[in-house]
Amino acid sequence: MTPSDVKATLSFSDGSPSMDLPIYKGSVGPDVIDIRKLYAQTGKFTYDPGFLSTAACQSAITYIDGDKGELLYRGYPIEQLAEKCDFLETCYLLLKGDLPTGAELKGFMTSVTHHTMVNEQMQFFLRGFRRDAHPMAVMTGLVGALSAFYHDSTDITNAEHREIAAIRLIAKMPTLVAMAYKYTVGQPYVYPKNSLSYTANFMRMMFATPCEEYQPNDVLVRALDRIFILHADHEQNASTSTVRLCGSSGTNPFAAIAAGVACLWGPAHGGANEAALNMLGDIQKMGGVAKIGEFITQVKDKNSGIKLMGFGHRVYKNYDPRAKLMRETCHEVLNELGLQNDPLFKLAMALEKIALEDDYFVSRKLYPNVDFYSGIVQRAIGIPVSLFTAIFALARTVGWIAQLNEMIGDPEYKIGRPRQLFVGATPRDVKPIAAR
């Protein structure tokens, strides 16, 4: 870390001694005030619910400027990566720190391709789930179970183990997601095919059957590959912080990633695109495009309890840079599949138009976000709404692994131990039961 020439001075109105706090500079973005010695010197903690003003780590992976609507992977703008690179190039970048050369990419692709199969016993493990189980419930179990099959890559202190665990997780997540889908619809599992690209292989495992071979559509493959790139990492969000906190105990990578999957499941996080499509379905049931005005009126009424899902973002106070790219992809997919007049997609485009023009939404910067468009694209491709979050987990796995490995390699890393402001009962004695 680079120390700043400036220090912060913390003073107290009760006459307690003041203390100087070091300040460190980021390469871009806000500086941080180092409070590590605060408790030792003052006996006080800071209070920051949700850690919205607390930097829990130093990281060189992803940078977000919400006010500018900027997202960088290892310094590269997300727009350039989504237009000029594929998902495996992006994976290499996040893991290694730089974009690969041709030879490096070929070697990386070969490693991933030859680890896409999973142990045959995984299918017996799947049979323990109900057919109607939510895919994220299934994925939480499957990812955690990987540690029971791959004992040779569970020591996070071993760099070689971390390397092979990273490759295995990136390679096997598409296979597991496809297996979870096939199980819920009662179709036989489709094995990976090494001659296909990462994303085309996933689509084939999703949609092929023994009675009919699946021919990947290049436009749809590129659209899904872009979804993977846009969701690969997003700085210190809830699921990434969960993976870091879980991994800080020294647990194996598969368990840490399973914790990330569980956290991502929440509707306020990875389930946002599923919530957005469910919202569109509800409006359609109300009467579709003709009822949008009535729906928007309810959204504006704070007492209605109706929320506009897929619009606005907690971090971006400008247009989500990922949403711009996904909007283009959305229209490409709809045109390719001839779905411009599909009732649900017409409804989505009408809702988008209102949100981009209505002063209520514009003034509050409630622009359509990446979840809104990615949900539409996935539904058009044929991915069921319940599987959206599992697709998100597939894409985010590489970011989680990169963040986990970065933490383990940081000499300052310690097991996570958040503090609290205790507001419960003061010490008291236990009375005999008859006297209570």
Side-chain angles (χ1 to χ4, degrees):
M1 294 192 295
T2 305
S4 170
D5 296 332
V6 179
K7 288 189 176 182
T9 299
L10 180 64
S11 59
F12 303 91
S13 59
D14 63 359
S16 300
S18 61
M19 69 174 293
D20 288 336
L21 299 169
I23 296 178
Y24 292 96
K25 297 178 180 179
S27 52
V28 288
D31 296 343
V32 299
I33 300 172
D34 186 350
I35 61 168
R36 283 176 288 183
K37 295 182 179 179
L38 179 67
Y39 177 63
Q41 293 186 18
T42 69
K44 295 177 174 63
F45 300 137
T46 56
Y47 183 64
D48 184 20
F51 310 111
L52 302 184
S53 297
T54 300
C57 64
Q58 53 177 312
S59 180
I61 299 173
T62 302
Y63 175 73
I64 298 170
D65 188 322
D67 292 330
K68 293 181 180 177
E70 183 178 68
L71 171 60
L72 307 176
Y73 289 171
R74 300 285 190 179
Y76 292 102
I78 191 66
E79 297 89 343
Q80 294 183 27
L81 292 170
E83 291 171 1
K84 300 178 180 180
C85 300
D86 66 16
F87 180 61
L88 284 187
E89 285 180 87
T90 305
C91 288
Y92 187 98
L93 169 68
L94 290 171
L95 289 172
K96 307 286 189 178
D98 286 300
L99 286 169
T101 63
E104 288 169 338
L105 180 60
K106 183 178 179 181
F108 184 71
M109 290 174 64
T110 299
S111 295
V112 171
T113 299
H114 288 90
H115 280 88
T116 50
M117 289 185 66
V118 298
N119 192 293
E120 280 290 281
Q121 286 182 264
M122 290 295 283
Q123 63 178 289
F124 301 113
F125 187 67
L126 255 173
R127 292 178 189 174
F129 294 102
R130 287 172 54 116
R131 293 274 182 183
D132 61 354
H134 193 286
M136 286 298 280
V138 176
M139 287 303 297
T140 303
L142 292 182
V143 175
L146 288 176
S147 57
F149 291 97
Y150 302 105
H151 303 289
D152 60 339
S153 57
T154 55
D155 181 4
I156 64 169
T157 64
N158 185 311
E160 187 177 344
H161 281 211
R162 295 199 300 271
E163 176 80 16
I164 193 168
I167 295 295
R168 280 175 170 160
L169 279 159
I170 293 167
K172 298 179 191 305
M173 281 295 282
T175 309
L176 294 179
V177 172
M179 287 176 71
Y181 169 65
K182 289 295 193 183
Y183 181 74
T184 60
V185 296
Q187 293 181 3
Y189 309 122
V190 176
Y191 286 91
K193 193 169 185 178
N194 289 353
S195 61
L196 294 175
S197 70
Y198 183 89
T199 304
N201 184 41
F202 171 64
M203 294 183 74
R204 178 181 172 276
M205 288 191 290
M206 283 283 294
F207 301 121
T209 62
C211 57
E212 185 176 4
E213 183 56 39
Y214 177 80
Q215 295 297 328
N217 179 310
D218 289 343
V219 173
L220 305 188
V221 169
R222 180 57 184 154
L224 191 56
D225 197 75
R226 179 170 282 187
I227 287 176
F228 291 167
I229 292 172
L230 298 180
H231 288 84
D233 197 52
H234 208 238
E235 208 213 73
Q236 307 307 315
N237 51 76
S239 59
T240 299
S241 299
T242 297
V243 170
R244 279 181 172 264
L245 189 61
C246 185
S248 74
S249 72
T251 192
N252 70 78
F254 304 108
I257 301 306
V261 173
C263 181
L264 190 72
W265 189 359
H269 193 4
N273 50 15
E274 182 177 346
L277 258 291
N278 288 335
M279 176 195 71
L280 291 175
D282 291 340
I283 300 173
Q284 188 66 27
K285 291 175 185 175
M286 288 169 52
V289 174
K291 294 292 184 178
I292 282 185
E294 182 180 323
F295 175 76
I296 292 297
T297 299
Q298 291 178 318
V299 169
K300 293 178 180 179
D301 180 2
K302 294 181 179 180
N303 298 318
S304 70
I306 303 296
K307 293 184 178 180
L308 185 64
M309 306 303 295
F311 291 76
H313 195 279
R314 187 177 187 179
V315 173
Y316 297 109
K317 305 310 176 189
N318 203 317
Y319 206 97
D320 183 341
R322 302 169 301 169
K324 296 177 184 177
L325 297 160
M326 212 61 245
R327 186 178 189 275
E328 296 172 8
T329 299
C330 183
H331 287 283
E332 288 173 7
V333 168
L334 297 185
N335 290 333
E336 176 69 16
L337 297 175
L339 291 173
Q340 304 94 321
N341 294 318
D342 178 274
L344 200 65
F345 298 133
K346 287 182 72 174
L347 172 63
M349 294 304 102
L351 193 60
E352 173 200 54
K353 187 174 187 297
I354 290 175
L356 291 174
E357 295 177 357
D358 190 309
D359 184 63
Y360 177 88
F361 300 106
V362 174
S363 63
R364 290 168 172 77
K365 301 186 185 299
L366 294 175
Y367 304 113
N369 61 35
V370 68
D371 298 309
F372 179 75
Y373 295 113
S374 66
I376 295 170
V377 170
Q378 289 179 75
R379 183 182 183 276
I381 289 173
I383 297 169
V385 174
S386 63
L387 204 70
F388 286 2
T389 317
I391 300 290
F392 193 160
L394 187 169
R396 183 56 58 83
T397 293
V398 65
W400 288 333
I401 298 167
Q403 297 274 350
L404 179 63
N405 287 347
E406 181 183 62
M407 181 196 71
I408 295 165
D410 185 346
E412 293 187 336
Y413 111 85
K414 297 178 175 62
I415 184 172
R417 182 59 172 88
R419 299 297 190 167
Q420 66 177 17
L421 173 64
F422 182 71
V423 294
T426 55
R428 50 184 172 168
D429 296 322
V430 176
K431 297 179 181 180
I433 193 166
R436 294 176 201 164

PDB file of all heavy atoms in Angstrom, residues 6 85 99 122 152 176 181 236 378 397 399 421:
ATOM      1  N   VAL A   6      -0.681  12.838   3.954  1.00  0.00           N
ATOM      2  CA  VAL A   6      -1.668  13.395   4.886  1.00  0.00           C
ATOM      3  C   VAL A   6      -2.068  12.336   5.903  1.00  0.00           C
ATOM      4  O   VAL A   6      -2.144  11.157   5.595  1.00  0.00           O
ATOM      5  CB  VAL A   6      -2.915  13.878   4.115  1.00  0.00           C
ATOM      6  CG1 VAL A   6      -3.965  14.439   5.067  1.00  0.00           C
ATOM      7  CG2 VAL A   6      -2.531  14.900   3.057  1.00  0.00           C
ATOM      8  N   CYS A  85     -12.961  -9.468 -26.458  1.00  0.00           N
ATOM      9  CA  CYS A  85     -12.465 -10.700 -25.836  1.00  0.00           C
ATOM     10  C   CYS A  85     -13.610 -11.680 -25.619  1.00  0.00           C
ATOM     11  O   CYS A  85     -14.778 -11.309 -25.630  1.00  0.00           O
ATOM     12  CB  CYS A  85     -11.802 -10.391 -24.498  1.00  0.00           C
ATOM     13  SG  CYS A  85     -10.385  -9.271 -24.602  1.00  0.00           S
ATOM     14  N   LEU A  99      -4.022  -9.835 -19.859  1.00  0.00           N
ATOM     15  CA  LEU A  99      -4.624 -10.595 -20.946  1.00  0.00           C
ATOM     16  C   LEU A  99      -3.597 -11.582 -21.499  1.00  0.00           C
ATOM     17  O   LEU A  99      -2.402 -11.286 -21.551  1.00  0.00           O
ATOM     18  CB  LEU A  99      -5.104  -9.657 -22.049  1.00  0.00           C
ATOM     19  CG  LEU A  99      -6.373  -8.860 -21.736  1.00  0.00           C
ATOM     20  CD1 LEU A  99      -6.595  -7.770 -22.770  1.00  0.00           C
ATOM     21  CD2 LEU A  99      -7.588  -9.791 -21.680  1.00  0.00           C
ATOM     22  N   MET A 122     -21.545 -37.847  -9.244  1.00  0.00           N
ATOM     23  CA  MET A 122     -22.314 -36.614  -9.056  1.00  0.00           C
ATOM     24  C   MET A 122     -23.764 -36.786  -9.484  1.00  0.00           C
ATOM     25  O   MET A 122     -24.672 -36.176  -8.906  1.00  0.00           O
ATOM     26  CB  MET A 122     -21.664 -35.457  -9.825  1.00  0.00           C
ATOM     27  CG  MET A 122     -20.340 -34.985  -9.266  1.00  0.00           C
ATOM     28  SD  MET A 122     -20.456 -34.266  -7.616  1.00  0.00           S
ATOM     29  CE  MET A 122     -21.128 -32.663  -7.981  1.00  0.00           C
ATOM     30  N   ASP A 152      -7.260 -33.713  -3.992  1.00  0.00           N
ATOM     31  CA  ASP A 152      -5.898 -33.296  -4.331  1.00  0.00           C
ATOM     32  C   ASP A 152      -5.778 -31.805  -4.615  1.00  0.00           C
ATOM     33  O   ASP A 152      -4.732 -31.345  -5.064  1.00  0.00           O
ATOM     34  CB  ASP A 152      -5.387 -34.092  -5.539  1.00  0.00           C
ATOM     35  CG  ASP A 152      -6.256 -33.892  -6.776  1.00  0.00           C
ATOM     36  OD1 ASP A 152      -7.425 -33.487  -6.616  1.00  0.00           O
ATOM     37  OD2 ASP A 152      -5.774 -34.153  -7.891  1.00  0.00           O
ATOM     38  N   LEU A 176     -22.155 -28.619 -14.206  1.00  0.00           N
ATOM     39  CA  LEU A 176     -23.055 -28.765 -13.061  1.00  0.00           C
ATOM     40  C   LEU A 176     -24.367 -28.013 -13.278  1.00  0.00           C
ATOM     41  O   LEU A 176     -25.447 -28.525 -12.941  1.00  0.00           O
ATOM     42  CB  LEU A 176     -22.373 -28.269 -11.786  1.00  0.00           C
ATOM     43  CG  LEU A 176     -21.163 -29.070 -11.302  1.00  0.00           C
ATOM     44  CD1 LEU A 176     -20.585 -28.430 -10.042  1.00  0.00           C
ATOM     45  CD2 LEU A 176     -21.529 -30.524 -11.037  1.00  0.00           C
ATOM     46  N   TYR A 181     -30.148 -28.423 -14.549  1.00  0.00           N
ATOM     47  CA  TYR A 181     -31.285 -28.118 -15.433  1.00  0.00           C
ATOM     48  C   TYR A 181     -31.897 -29.404 -15.991  1.00  0.00           C
ATOM     49  O   TYR A 181     -33.117 -29.601 -15.949  1.00  0.00           O
ATOM     50  CB  TYR A 181     -30.833 -27.209 -16.567  1.00  0.00           C
ATOM     51  CG  TYR A 181     -31.860 -27.063 -17.663  1.00  0.00           C
ATOM     52  CD1 TYR A 181     -33.086 -26.447 -17.421  1.00  0.00           C
ATOM     53  CD2 TYR A 181     -31.620 -27.573 -18.944  1.00  0.00           C
ATOM     54  CE1 TYR A 181     -34.046 -26.323 -18.421  1.00  0.00           C
ATOM     55  CE2 TYR A 181     -32.566 -27.447 -19.947  1.00  0.00           C
ATOM     56  CZ  TYR A 181     -33.777 -26.831 -19.679  1.00  0.00           C
ATOM     57  OH  TYR A 181     -34.715 -26.722 -20.677  1.00  0.00           O
ATOM     58  N   GLN A 236     -16.087  -5.780  -4.330  1.00  0.00           N
ATOM     59  CA  GLN A 236     -16.375  -6.388  -3.016  1.00  0.00           C
ATOM     60  C   GLN A 236     -17.867  -6.359  -2.706  1.00  0.00           C
ATOM     61  O   GLN A 236     -18.332  -5.681  -1.800  1.00  0.00           O
ATOM     62  CB  GLN A 236     -15.574  -5.675  -1.923  1.00  0.00           C
ATOM     63  CG  GLN A 236     -14.089  -5.586  -2.175  1.00  0.00           C
ATOM     64  CD  GLN A 236     -13.464  -6.932  -2.484  1.00  0.00           C
ATOM     65  OE1 GLN A 236     -13.743  -7.924  -1.822  1.00  0.00           O
ATOM     66  NE2 GLN A 236     -12.607  -6.973  -3.500  1.00  0.00           N
ATOM     67  N   GLN A 378     -31.629 -14.179 -21.715  1.00  0.00           N
ATOM     68  CA  GLN A 378     -31.628 -15.584 -21.318  1.00  0.00           C
ATOM     69  C   GLN A 378     -32.967 -16.248 -21.603  1.00  0.00           C
ATOM     70  O   GLN A 378     -33.019 -17.400 -22.050  1.00  0.00           O
ATOM     71  CB  GLN A 378     -31.275 -15.701 -19.830  1.00  0.00           C
ATOM     72  CG  GLN A 378     -29.814 -15.385 -19.548  1.00  0.00           C
ATOM     73  CD  GLN A 378     -29.484 -15.489 -18.077  1.00  0.00           C
ATOM     74  OE1 GLN A 378     -29.373 -16.580 -17.532  1.00  0.00           O
ATOM     75  NE2 GLN A 378     -29.335 -14.349 -17.415  1.00  0.00           N
ATOM     76  N   THR A 397     -18.030 -17.302 -10.780  1.00  0.00           N
ATOM     77  CA  THR A 397     -17.077 -18.216 -10.149  1.00  0.00           C
ATOM     78  C   THR A 397     -15.639 -17.766 -10.334  1.00  0.00           C
ATOM     79  O   THR A 397     -14.836 -17.797  -9.396  1.00  0.00           O
ATOM     80  CB  THR A 397     -17.269 -19.647 -10.686  1.00  0.00           C
ATOM     81  OG1 THR A 397     -18.550 -20.143 -10.261  1.00  0.00           O
ATOM     82  CG2 THR A 397     -16.194 -20.591 -10.176  1.00  0.00           C
ATOM     83  N   GLY A 399     -14.457 -14.769 -10.755  1.00  0.00           N
ATOM     84  CA  GLY A 399     -14.200 -13.604  -9.912  1.00  0.00           C
ATOM     85  C   GLY A 399     -14.004 -14.002  -8.467  1.00  0.00           C
ATOM     86  O   GLY A 399     -13.105 -13.507  -7.782  1.00  0.00           O
ATOM     87  N   LEU A 421     -21.827  -3.544  17.999  1.00  0.00           N
ATOM     88  CA  LEU A 421     -22.266  -2.634  19.052  1.00  0.00           C
ATOM     89  C   LEU A 421     -23.316  -3.401  19.852  1.00  0.00           C
ATOM     90  O   LEU A 421     -24.432  -3.637  19.379  1.00  0.00           O
ATOM     91  CB  LEU A 421     -22.883  -1.365  18.450  1.00  0.00           C
ATOM     92  CG  LEU A 421     -23.526  -0.392  19.442  1.00  0.00           C
ATOM     93  CD1 LEU A 421     -22.479   0.178  20.377  1.00  0.00           C
ATOM     94  CD2 LEU A 421     -24.257   0.720  18.694  1.00  0.00           C
TER      95      LEU A 421
END
